[in-house]
Amino acid sequence: MASFRELIGGLDEAHSLPLYQQLQRGLRQAIENKALRAEDALPPERELAEEFSVSRITVRKALDGLVAEGLLTRRQGSGTFVLGRVEKNFSKLTSFTEDMLARGRAPSSVWLRKSEGTVTPEESLTMGLSPGTPVYRFSRLRFADEAPMALEYCTVPAFCLPSIEAVGSSLYVALEEAGYRPARALQRLRAVLFTSEQAQLLGAREKDAGLLVERRGFSRDGRAVEFSQSYYRGDTYDFVAELSDTETRA
Ligand code: GLP
């Protein structure tokens, strides 16, 4: 097999994406395009660190992220391995930031609200959390380049983040760093008509058509780590799904 450096290419210190995310993205792509296959073993962290001239902490963070995404697994005493077919689907569980970057658009957000509280009865049922569980709530208006794309409300159990301030421009980056990036999610799409308040924030008109996407995200050990409601502008956002039967035939 080619060296990992040849496989992924070098990392770029000057790039706006941190080194660990560049490494994570490179490894993710290698798994997606099957340059790395199920059950392939990764070299020890020390070797990867030498190969890419980065610290072991950087390598560890990149691998932790891929473990959380369900693409890699660590086996006690024997190392880190690429996971097999079922988990590969999880790589599609992307964030708004990643979706926009993948389309060549620049993501940004305006914070509407960050607050701490306890689960509402509805969240408690939806997320399977006991009444009284502490949560953080994040409300954001999300942009692609200069265009408002979505109004997003997320609830995250407080145990998933070191503090409410841990969330900067991306919730999933903060969850990934804390080891709680969703590895599996259930998603529901529904057509809605914008209220006047929503329309105003999104630069649309009242009763314009929008799309409500609700996501319940779970960590690898099955705990609910996110409940989000995203209202997308119907005229600026297309949902595209790639369907394939290769998982069952492979
Ligand atoms: C998408 C998902 C949300 C998720 C968000 C995280 O919009 N539908 O469920 O919370 O991405 O995005 P980011 O990491 O950019 O904050």
Side-chain angles (χ1 to χ4, degrees):
M1 190 168 66
S3 78
F4 275 71
R5 179 79 201 257
E6 278 161 17
L7 206 63
I8 292 169
L11 307 180
D12 177 5
E13 293 256 18
H15 198 284
S16 61
L17 211 58
L19 290 172
Y20 84 93
Q21 284 186 22
Q22 291 180 41
L23 181 58
Q24 186 174 338
R25 186 174 62 180
L27 287 168
R28 186 192 295 120
Q29 279 165 358
I31 294 169
E32 280 170 0
N33 64 30
K34 300 209 166 55
L36 286 173
R37 292 180 169 269
E39 294 307 318
D40 276 351
L42 261 65
E45 283 175 13
R46 178 179 32 82
E47 277 179 33
L48 280 174
E50 270 171 31
E51 208 172 319
F52 288 95
S53 310
V54 294
S55 71
R56 281 183 69 173
I57 295 171
T58 299
V59 172
R60 163 68 55 101
K61 269 175 96 172
L63 300 189
D64 281 350
L66 292 166
V67 168
E69 285 180 52
L71 294 175
L72 295 179
T73 183
R74 288 202 174 90
R75 298 197 184 123
Q76 198 89 50
S78 51
T80 306
F81 296 84
V82 178
L83 267 174
R85 298 199 296 264
V86 178
E87 286 85 354
K88 193 171 69 62
N89 280 341
F90 297 166
S91 65
K92 303 282 182 209
L93 182 43
T94 50
S95 68
F96 180 87
T97 302
E98 290 159 348
D99 289 345
M100 292 307 131
L101 291 175
R103 290 172 172 81
R105 313 276 306 261
S108 64
S109 304
V110 167
W111 283 99
L112 302 175
R113 193 149 187 243
K114 267 187 191 180
S115 63
E116 302 183 34
T118 52
V119 279
T120 61
E122 194 206 343
E123 288 165 350
S124 155
L125 284 177
T126 315
M127 302 179 82
L129 296 171
S130 317
T133 305
V135 292
Y136 298 137
R137 296 200 178 82
F138 305 101
S139 309
R140 289 173 291 177
L141 188 54
R142 315 216 61 179
F143 293 81
D145 302 322
E146 303 302 304
M149 298 292 279
L151 195 52
E152 192 158 73
Y153 306 95
C154 302
T155 303
V156 173
F159 70 79
C160 297
L161 291 168
S163 81
I164 195 165
E165 297 307 332
V167 180
S169 57
S170 164
L171 172 63
Y172 275 21
V173 165
L175 288 172
E176 191 168 311
E177 281 168 358
Y180 284 106
R181 181 179 166 125
R184 184 176 75 84
L186 292 173
Q187 193 156 284
R188 177 164 81 169
L189 277 68
R190 192 146 51 94
V192 290
L193 299 181
F194 290 134
T195 63
S196 63
E197 193 198 347
Q198 291 169 334
Q200 207 180 357
L201 286 165
L202 286 166
R205 283 172 317 202
E206 188 179 351
K207 300 219 171 71
D208 271 358
L211 199 57
L212 168 59
V213 181
E214 292 183 322
R215 182 181 287 182
R216 269 196 293 159
F218 301 91
S219 59
R220 284 193 64 71
D221 61 4
R223 290 203 273 180
V225 292
E226 162 188 38
F227 174 58
S228 69
Q229 294 180 304
S230 313
Y231 293 85
Y232 288 89
R233 273 176 56 156
D235 58 344
T236 54
Y237 206 89
D238 280 351
F239 272 87
V240 178
E242 184 178 285
L243 309 178
S244 140
D245 70 346
T246 49
E247 299 308 317
T248 47
R249 275 194 286 135

